[in-house]
Amino acid sequence: MSHRRSIEHAIAGFGMDTITLAGPLEAKLDAMRGAGFGQVMLKANDLVGHPQGWQAAVAAVKASGLRGTGFQVLRDFEGLSGHLHQYKVDIAKTMLQMCSALGCDVLLACSSTSTHASTDLDHLARDLRKLAMLALPHGIRIAYEGLSWGRTVNEFTTAWDVVQRADCPNLGLGFDSFHALAAGTSLEAIDAVDPAKIFLVQLSDFMWQETRTFEERMATARTFRVFPGEGVHSAQLVEMVRRLDARGYAGDYSFEVFNDDYVQMPLPMVAERARRSALWLAEDVLRRATPRPNQLRLRR
């Protein structure tokens, strides 16, 4: 296997999120392809914000050759009642339609932050089961993510509890390293999660050791995440990815990196940073690459 093909094979399970890059959708897709990625995590604004309409955005994604890792994000769906619940059901149907048009088989739903939502875990589970049933005819799986500032569900352990209560084949966990690190959840808890029910893993790091308040978590999550290996939690990220791998997780990893500085940089430069991160994780952490004899790869 050539060195280039070895690299492509190594990062095949990694993708980028469009939120990390500035500019039009087509330019983002080109930058990802140029960096060697084979997949992309898309968001609703990529479609509805396209100047030629959302169908043109779908066509651009398909023409790029990049596989859609998933589609995001359905917010504040679970735990509501009456007209609020019905409103969110209508929104969910539209999100599922766009997700299906893209050919993505995962829709990300994040835990509710609404003060109008129930705190009863069984109520949350019933609503997520309903969402999964709506997704079933589309062949879409729902990845439920616990936001680290969620009202009731703010750790992946609680999100996993709700997923188990719902007991639906196409409802699983969306695992986000930022939220696990920000909430300080024990990484040993990963061992209690069924790897077949982890539908997506999103990775990022950040620059401070702790985020003590919900407000600090929100601000960091939305403006100053960095790629794995660039922040101060590299050791924890290594443990996290290795635990997931040891448990048998064989799905996708996507870089969910909101960063106000990166969206002011040329796209190829940011995509190259992502590529270096993917290579570090693939070759040094997961050891997926084919080794080259008599050559030691040094890192700066």
Side-chain angles (χ1 to χ4, degrees), residues 118-152:
S118 170
T119 60
D120 178 68
L121 296 186
D122 287 326
H123 186 167
L124 307 185
R126 285 196 303 272
D127 286 349
L128 289 172
R129 188 184 304 119
K130 182 174 185 176
L131 176 61
M133 290 298 99
L134 290 172
L136 205 55
H138 297 280
I140 292 172
R141 297 176 295 160
I142 303 299
Y144 182 54
E145 172 188 83
L147 291 178
S148 56
W149 58 87
R151 184 185 183 201
T152 301

Side-chain angles (χ1 to χ4, degrees), residues 111-112 146-159 179-180 182-183 185 214 217:
S111 62
S112 180
L147 291 178
S148 56
W149 58 87
R151 184 185 183 201
T152 301
V153 178
N154 47 55
E155 296 189 73
F156 73 83
T157 48
T158 315
H179 295 301
T185 311
F214 279 13
R217 292 175 191 178

Side-chain angles (χ1 to χ4, degrees), residues 3-135:
H3 178 46
R4 179 174 178 80
R5 288 184 63 193
S6 175
I7 291 175
E8 290 174 350
H9 173 75
I11 66 174
F14 293 87
M16 286 188 69
D17 194 312
T18 55
I19 55 98
T20 308
L21 300 171
L25 177 62
E26 289 83 354
K28 296 181 181 186
L29 299 173
D30 286 346
M32 293 178 194
R33 288 283 300 188
F37 290 100
Q39 55 182 292
V40 54
M41 185 75 185
L42 296 140
K43 67 181 189 298
N45 286 351
D46 294 324
L47 275 62
V48 298
H50 195 282
Q52 275 80 54
W54 74 273
Q55 292 92 344
V58 169
V61 173
K62 292 184 175 179
S64 75
L66 293 169
R67 176 173 64 85
T69 308
F71 188 61
Q72 62 177 349
V73 56
L74 181 62
R75 300 183 187 276
D76 295 325
F77 177 83
E78 76 282 18
L80 300 174
S81 300
H83 68 285
L84 287 174
H85 172 71
Q86 190 53 54
Y87 167 79
K88 279 297 181 179
V89 168
D90 290 342
I91 298 299
K93 289 177 179 178
T94 301
M95 293 286 287
L96 288 166
Q97 180 185 357
M98 291 190 289
C99 184
S100 177
L102 282 166
C104 294
D105 70 351
V106 172
L107 174 66
L108 185 68
C110 59
S111 62
S112 180
T113 62
S114 174
T115 56
H116 299 285
S118 170
T119 60
D120 178 68
L121 296 186
D122 287 326
H123 186 167
L124 307 185
R126 285 196 303 272
D127 286 349
L128 289 172
R129 188 184 304 119
K130 182 174 185 176
L131 176 61
M133 290 298 99
L134 290 172

